[in-house]
Amino acid sequence: MEIKVKLNGKWIVDNIDPDMLLLDFCRAHYCKSVKRGCETSNCGLCTVWLDGKPVLSCNVLAARADGHEVTTLEGLQEEAKEFGMFLAREGGEQCGFCNPGFIMNVLAMKRELDNPTDEEILEYLAGNLCRCSGYASHMRAIHKWLDSKKEAAQREDHIPENREKMLAHRLSKRTQKHW
Amino acid sequence: MYAEDLAPENCLVIKLLRSPHAHAMIRSIDTSKAKLVPGVECVLTYKDVPQHRFTQAGQTYLEASPYDRYILDRHLRFVGDEVAIVAADTEKAANKALKLIKVEYDILPAILDYRESLDNEILIHPEEDWTESDWSHGDNKRNSVYHEDIHVGDVDAIFAECDEVLEESYHTIEDQQAMMEPFTANCWMDTFGRLVIQSATQIPFHVRRNMATALGIPKSKIRVIKPRIGGGFGAKQTAVVERFPAVVTWLTGKPSKIYYTREETMIAGSARHEMRVQVKLGAMKDGTIRAIEMHVLSNTGAYGEHGPTTIGLAGHKSIPLYGGKYEAFRFVADTVYSNHPSAGAYRGYGAPQGIFALENTVNLMAARLGIDPTKIREMNMLHEGDLMTAYNNETANACALDQCMARCKEMMDWDNKFPAKVLPNGHIRSVGVAMAMQGSCINYIDEANVTIKMNDDGFYSLLVGSTDMGTGSDTILAQMAADVLECDVDDIVAYGVDTDVSPYDSGSYASSTTYLTGNAVVKAAEQLRLNITEQAAKILECQKDEVEFDGKVLTCVRTGASMTLKDLANQLQGGSDGWLSVTAGGNSPVSPPPYMVGMAEIDLDPETGKVVPIKYTTCVDCGTVVNPNLARVQTEGGLMQGLGMALYEGQSYTDEGVNRMRNFLQYKIPTRMDIPEIEVDFRESYEPTGPFGAKSIGEIVINTPSPAIAHAIFNATGVMHHELPITAEKVWRGIQQKKQEEVQA
């Protein structure tokens, strides 16, 4: 079947199998940043934007993108590089395999949430797995990056007495929320 | 760019048919229909591929692993063992062909419980051409891959004199490295008819050897390229997938690739060895530990691979922690085959299993004697200058374990938090402690070499044979070279491994890169520095020891004449008596251990058994910290893997030997929602044999969470769990059982 997709700002017309996944479509069009880490929508490596919203491209048929706009890391070079530098400075980029999907979601979060709390950040990004970093460096990088974006903003959870409150909140609502 | 991103365009896609049985022989196999699927290039069975026994393990000379594999074998040894290889133009065609292969199996009785394997009448490797390694004392007619029995002193005599003797048995199960990039490799033929293997591997030089052996071709016919790797943690210290594209491309002449699904990575990868560790610990009433005995049984699964080498670490990298005091130890180790998937290397390589067992037992001993578990460690721990009799008789040249303990206690506020307190909501907050050690390279065996060359304009190329598997080791090595050459790190271009270009390195494993390859970098960079001043002296017309070099400018201290490095480098491009390039390296007679202390604070809900790690503090002695950020992230990453191993990660099998954990829905790794507050600190010792005083850090960091969490749960519930992972269900059952016992008593 023929589809027309605006991939990273350029319209592409392609003849595809109806069961082709958006992940494979992106990779076939040289967006190699889109990675496959599982087949069960668990790892977040294949995150791209469909009309500006993050989706797992392993779970979306390419046909669904017909007439829509798809953005991958290749289409967000400047922004991605900026955040990537914060990540690298913390040593948090490590093997790098999860970074493209992770960064796509971080940039989407920035657009969607104003002054996110730590809890909101963790929940937004929970679906992006990383096996190297242990995640703590990701948080440091996100904090510093957000601070640089909005220096005056003082996030609530920077205040020490709120830590225990936050912890209680987390304990009450979850054990392992891996989606 | 990773291996799959760099695969040749339009290359053949490889898919594999896997055994549905844990133990079987192929009676007949018919591929005629599968071959008719349009787009199918070939369907290979054991009849079609070269038959030479080889190993997939990545180990340098003397190889420790038995040669017990064929590329494809008629004899299938686990659920998932490869039956046939299909290569086709598209993934769809390959998958279609897979379904059309007809196989009849003769099902054999299987050994699914490794404890029944030794001297079982069922033989996993009855073949006559099974080749034992030089030193593992294995015997395929006994299902044995390795045996070791060593001791210092007479443990039985000492145990008889001890006030308290504890005997405990522990069980750790297979867990998955779960690196984000699955196993993958691709191949093509180069212009000279040589086979090029591009692989996500930690061991490019061993891939070359293993594939040459498997295909029965000279090593000179193979080139292995390692692009960027998406994580390894030891998984890629085994050449899990390389043989498939290698044989397809070698036989068809066409480029081919394989990219494992997550399911294949889980069921046919190279998980951690399942082990039973029995510990006997003897101590006096005052807490003095006098004797340690450890018996370990390890499950290597269907193939030997890392079976002979992982097991030793269970004892050699746990017992020396108490090297300060004990008078005798005994370590007995057996590795056996079973019809589980083949096990491999995973961060820690056997040490986590041994440390889990020994540290738990020490914690039990402390409780029995009524001594604070940090105090019993302070009394007995290894100190700088102590001889480690259970560790190749090496002396602890650099050891800040005592300082690590002091600092870790401070960070955790141990004295106030130990052992536990009950919160108003009924939850219990408790703490636990464990110590750990590892090595830095395999002494006398591992080999690292690097080449540094100076280019025009005075920038440098650094060719290393060790592989950066995503830990930032290339950065660390470039940093070391930059330090010696007094240049900016950006002036050093580090080049990933290509066996045609890079000098030999045994690979990235055994915590060797910073220590061993780092030493090679320092050696080569220092020599290059000498050569630079020597060349400059000729041009500046002075003696070489009169030349001063600050990284940019070379100055003769006597005449004051000077020139820039850029000018020198460019001048050397013409009419010089030799271009400036140095290769240096070697091995190490010692493997200096890093040490650490880890403490966990948990929140335990006695109603559900749910354990949530609240805080984890750790203090590491990895010698000089070369790059604080990378060392910290290594530690944090290792701790999270360790917490997963402690609380929820692990394989499980049906009665037919089918792996239940087949994807990330079933096999849970920690997400960012699971991170406790982690505090990392370092106490630096100075390792005289290491580059700038450094030791390793990559592996040790996974070792403490399992025993520290188990200890915290013990302090909360009074129950010491002897099996990993310690799930909420096990914690709850433990609490109930203890209640019942108390009622009965």
Side-chain angles (χ1 to χ4, degrees):
Chain A
M1 65 184 287
E2 192 180 278
I3 59 167
K4 195 178 162 195
V5 177
K6 194 176 184 185
L7 181 60
N8 293 327
K10 282 187 185 148
W11 283 102
I12 292 173
V13 180
D14 198 2
N15 213 328
I16 60 158
D17 286 344
D19 60 353
M20 187 185 216
L21 296 172
L22 184 56
L23 191 165
D24 294 313
F25 179 85
C26 292
R27 287 187 60 86
H29 289 91
Y30 302 100
C31 296
K32 302 280 191 185
S33 76
V34 187
K35 301 289 186 230
R36 176 179 263 118
C38 71
E39 300 79 41
T40 48
S41 315
N42 286 101
C43 71
L45 262 58
C46 64
T47 306
V48 302
W49 293 357
L50 187 58
D51 294 333
K53 295 274 181 226
V55 295
L56 297 173
S57 61
C58 75
N59 213 11
V60 175
L61 289 174
R64 263 184 63 193
D66 187 20
H68 293 270
E69 197 174 333
V70 174
T71 313
T72 71
L73 196 74
E74 284 83 354
L76 292 169
Q77 288 293 334
E78 285 294 305
E79 273 180 83
K81 197 176 165 193
E82 191 199 349
F83 175 68
M85 289 305 290
F86 278 89
L87 195 58
R89 251 175 251 146
E90 297 300 324
E93 84 282 20
Q94 292 287 296
C95 86
F97 208 69
C98 72
N99 290 0
F102 170 60
I103 294 175
M104 290 305 289
N105 230 7
V106 168
L107 299 180
M109 178 185 75
K110 177 77 177 63
R111 281 166 167 70
E112 206 174 313
L113 304 178
D114 266 339
N115 292 330
T117 62
D118 277 4
E119 194 57 24
E120 286 172 329
I121 294 172
L122 291 173
E123 281 189 4
Y124 199 97
L125 301 172
N128 291 91
L129 296 181
C130 167
R131 192 62 157 168
C132 298
S133 70
Y135 304 111
S137 52
H138 288 184
M139 271 317 252
R140 292 195 287 275
I142 291 169
H143 282 159
K144 287 183 184 170
W145 175 67
L146 290 176
D147 284 350
S148 82
K149 289 279 174 193
K150 200 174 181 186
E151 280 182 21
Q154 279 287 329
R155 279 186 317 286
E156 263 185 58
D157 39 71
H158 272 180
I159 306 163
E161 52 264 38
N162 284 346
R163 269 208 79 87
E164 199 60 21
K165 222 191 285 174
M166 199 183 87
L167 194 63
H169 172 67
R170 286 175 59 189
L171 286 172
S172 67
K173 58 190 279 199
R174 53 121 207 157
T175 31
Q176 296 169 41
K177 201 192 304 169
H178 316 268
W179 57 275
Chain B
M1 293 293 247
Y2 300 81
E4 172 76 1
D5 306 337
L6 297 164
E9 291 284 315
N10 301 320
C11 64
L12 297 170
V13 178
I14 294 173
K15 290 283 163 186
L16 304 168
L17 182 70
R18 298 184 176 281
S19 167
H21 305 294
H23 201 191
M25 280 287 179
I26 298 173
R27 190 193 310 153
S28 70
I29 184 161
D30 177 5
T31 60
S32 54
K33 283 218 173 101
K35 283 178 181 160
L36 295 176
V37 175
V40 169
E41 174 71 24
C42 63
V43 180
L44 304 175
T45 71
Y46 70 92
K47 296 173 200 161
D48 310 306
V49 298
Q51 298 278 297
H52 305 282
R53 291 269 172 213
F54 74 109
T55 178
Q56 293 186 159
Q59 289 169 342
T60 201
Y61 182 85
L62 299 149
E63 271 184 272
S65 320
Y67 280 21
D68 58 2
R69 272 192 190 269
Y70 287 145
I71 294 173
L72 291 172
D73 201 339
R74 214 185 128 219
H75 190 166
L76 306 167
R77 298 178 176 89
F78 70 95
V79 178
D81 211 352
E82 294 83 10
V83 175
I85 304 171
V86 175
D89 292 346
T90 63
E91 191 175 336
K92 259 186 191 171
N95 280 331
K96 193 172 177 189
L98 278 187
K99 292 187 185 129
L100 296 171
I101 301 171
K102 281 206 182 108
V103 194
E104 288 181 304
Y105 299 97
D106 287 323
I107 298 170
L108 303 172
I111 302 175
L112 295 171
D113 184 344
Y114 70 114
R115 291 168 299 182
E116 292 162 6
S117 177
L118 199 62
D119 292 324
N120 196 308
E121 60 184 31
I122 303 164
L123 288 182
I124 314 260
H125 284 275
E127 62 269 11
E128 292 304 322
D129 57 351
W130 184 89
T131 315
E132 194 198 351
S133 74
D134 294 334
W135 53 270
S136 63
H137 312 293
D139 181 353
N140 59 326
K141 299 292 157 68
R142 297 186 63 207
N143 286 328
S144 164
V145 181
Y146 181 75
H147 176 71
E148 172 181 355
D149 186 348
I150 62 160
H151 68 276
V152 168
D154 182 349
V155 276
D156 292 327
I158 306 279
F159 282 133
E161 293 171 12
C162 287
D163 295 332
E164 287 285 355
V165 176
L166 280 179
E167 276 187 84
E168 304 287 329
S169 180
Y170 301 87
H171 181 209
T172 64
I173 60 177
E174 294 126 315
D175 37 27
Q176 292 287 341
Q177 296 87 352
M179 62 288 169
M180 286 295 114
E181 180 195 37
F183 295 104
T184 181
N186 48 72
C187 293
W188 63 91
M189 302 301 290
D190 75 3
T191 45
F192 305 106
R194 297 165 74 229
L195 176 67
V196 184
I197 304 173
Q198 181 166 252
S199 160
T201 182
Q202 293 171 231
I203 43 147
F205 287 96
H206 305 325
V207 168
R208 182 172 72 183
R209 183 188 60 242
N210 295 349
M211 291 307 112
T213 311
L215 292 168
I217 62 176
K219 294 186 182 83
S220 60
K221 286 278 182 197
I222 297 179
R223 171 184 179 190
V224 180
I225 302 171
K226 181 228 67 131
R228 201 166 172 189
I229 309 178
F233 310 111
K236 294 167 184 171
Q237 198 194 334
T238 302
V240 172
V241 294
E242 285 81 347
R243 70 188 199 269
F244 306 115
V247 73
V248 166
T249 296
W250 185 250
L251 294 180
T252 65
K254 296 185 178 178
S256 66
K257 66 173 183 182
I258 190 159
Y259 190 84
Y260 262 16
T261 60
R262 180 57 58 183
E263 176 166 312
E264 287 177 300
T265 301
M266 293 265 181
I267 64 167
S270 60
R272 186 185 296 290
H273 288 75
E274 176 183 25
M275 286 188 196
R276 180 186 68 195
V277 186
Q278 293 162 306
V279 180
K280 191 170 176 184
L281 185 73
M284 303 309 282
K285 281 206 176 81
D286 67 357
T288 310
I289 292 173
R290 295 188 57 196
I292 303 171
E293 184 170 355
M294 191 183 273
H295 290 251
V296 187
L297 182 67
S298 171
N299 179 6
T300 191
Y303 298 97
E305 281 151 18
H306 292 275
T309 41
T310 40
I311 189 167
L313 280 76
H316 301 306
K317 286 174 185 167
S318 63
I319 298 170
L321 286 168
Y322 297 94
K325 281 280 163 66
Y326 71 75
E327 294 151 61
F329 82 90
R330 185 174 175 212
F331 177 63
V332 184
D334 280 287
T335 305
V336 293
Y337 284 120
S338 77
N339 291 110
H340 275 195
S342 180
Y346 180 9
R347 199 176 207 165
Y349 205 74
Q353 293 96 316
I355 287 172
F356 173 67
L358 183 57
E359 288 298 89
N360 278 357
T361 313
V362 170
N363 284 328
L364 283 171
M365 181 62 87
R368 173 77 66 92
L369 298 171
I371 301 176
D372 183 313
T374 60
K375 297 262 160 45
I376 199 172
R377 288 183 169 79
E378 282 159 359
M379 286 176 66
N380 293 287
M381 70 168 58
L382 185 77
H383 286 87
E384 201 158 283
D386 285 345
L387 183 70
M388 298 180 281
T389 50
Y391 190 79
N392 306 322
N393 276 319
E394 280 185 29
T395 302
N397 281 329
C399 175
L401 188 56
D402 47 353
Q403 295 172 47
C404 290
M405 178 62 84
R407 175 69 186 127
C408 203
K409 279 175 82 165
E410 203 175 283
M411 287 193 288
M412 181 52 89
D413 191 16
W414 175 269
D415 291 334
N416 283 319
K417 288 181 179 171
F418 174 76
K421 68 174 172 209
V422 181
L423 301 184
N425 64 359
H427 288 206
I428 306 168
R429 287 280 170 94
S430 60
V431 289
V433 60
M435 306 194 296
M437 62 181 284
Q438 198 76 37
S440 305
C441 84
I442 308 171
N443 49 331
Y444 289 115
I445 290 180
D446 281 346
E447 174 81 25
N449 295 284
V450 302
T451 299
I452 304 182
K453 53 180 185 174
M454 185 173 70
N455 302 295
D456 42 344
D457 280 3
F459 76 98
Y460 306 96
S461 300
L462 176 64
L463 306 180
V464 294
S466 77
T467 56
D468 187 335
M469 61 177 123
T471 56
S473 65
D474 281 355
T475 310
I476 303 249
L477 296 174
Q479 222 180 313
M480 289 181 179
D483 203 85
V484 174
L485 294 162
E486 291 186 64
C487 65
D488 200 82
V489 102
D490 292 335
D491 292 332
I492 310 239
V493 180
Y495 186 72
V497 188
D498 176 335
T499 55
D500 273 9
V501 179
S502 312
Y504 180 78
D505 191 293
S506 44
S508 284
Y509 54 83
S511 295
S512 63
T513 306
T514 298
Y515 178 73
L516 202 62
T517 313
N519 262 340
V521 167
V522 171
K523 213 162 149 184
E526 279 173 349
Q527 185 59 48
L528 182 66
R529 204 186 151 98
L530 285 178
N531 294 359
I532 289 170
T533 50
E534 199 174 287
Q535 291 297 330
K538 283 185 196 164
I539 296 169
L540 298 172
E541 294 175 340
C542 59
Q543 299 297 314
K544 61 183 176 189
D545 49 12
E546 292 170 342
V547 177
E548 254 185 23
F549 178 39
D550 68 0
K552 292 244 180 292
V553 180
L554 294 129
T555 313
C556 171
V557 286
R558 183 169 48 83
T559 65
S562 72
M563 72 186 304
T564 62
L565 178 70
K566 182 177 172 180
D567 285 342
L568 175 71
N570 291 342
Q571 281 184 35
L572 287 176
Q573 285 208 315
S576 78
D577 54 0
W579 188 237
L580 290 188
S581 137
V582 173
T583 299
N587 73 4
S588 167
V590 292
S591 169
Y595 307 93
M596 77 187 285
V597 176
M599 290 182 180
E601 183 183 14
I602 60 164
D603 181 284
L604 188 145
D605 181 353
E607 298 295 322
T608 61
K610 187 173 89 173
V611 173
V612 178
I614 299 295
K615 185 173 179 170
Y616 205 97
T617 60
T618 187
C619 187
V620 189
D621 162 21
C622 58
T624 303
V625 179
V626 179
N627 182 320
N629 271 347
L630 288 175
R632 184 176 177 186
V633 175
Q634 277 294 305
T635 311
E636 291 167 344
L639 290 177
M640 282 313 284
Q641 278 187 326
L643 288 174
M645 181 182 171
L647 290 169
Y648 34 82
E649 290 184 36
Q651 289 292 9
S652 89
Y653 297 86
T654 66
D655 292 344
E656 284 75 44
V658 180
N659 202 325
R660 288 198 186 95
M661 303 292 174
R662 306 177 81 83
N663 52 50
F664 284 147
L665 285 170
Q666 292 149 338
Y667 189 94
K668 295 299 184 190
I669 65 170
T671 75
R672 67 189 75 232
M673 300 296 283
D674 302 317
I675 46 174
E677 183 188 348
I678 294 179
E679 265 188 64
V680 178
D681 204 356
F682 297 92
R683 281 292 174 268
E684 295 186 1
S685 60
Y686 188 88
E687 171 52 46
T689 66
F692 308 107
K695 301 185 287 191
S696 79
I697 187 154
E699 291 189 276
I700 184 173
V701 288
I702 201 171
N703 292 343
T704 60
S706 295
I709 291 278
H711 187 213
I713 294 172
F714 172 73
N715 287 331
T717 64
V719 181
M720 181 63 88
H721 288 268
H722 288 63
E723 186 177 60
L724 292 177
I726 312 171
T727 57
E729 184 187 334
K730 286 184 194 165
V731 174
W732 186 84
R733 282 182 194 282
I735 294 170
Q736 302 312 315
Q737 207 180 333
K738 190 163 168 65
K739 270 186 196 161
Q740 268 179 13
E741 282 167 12
E742 278 167 5
V743 169
Q744 280 162 10

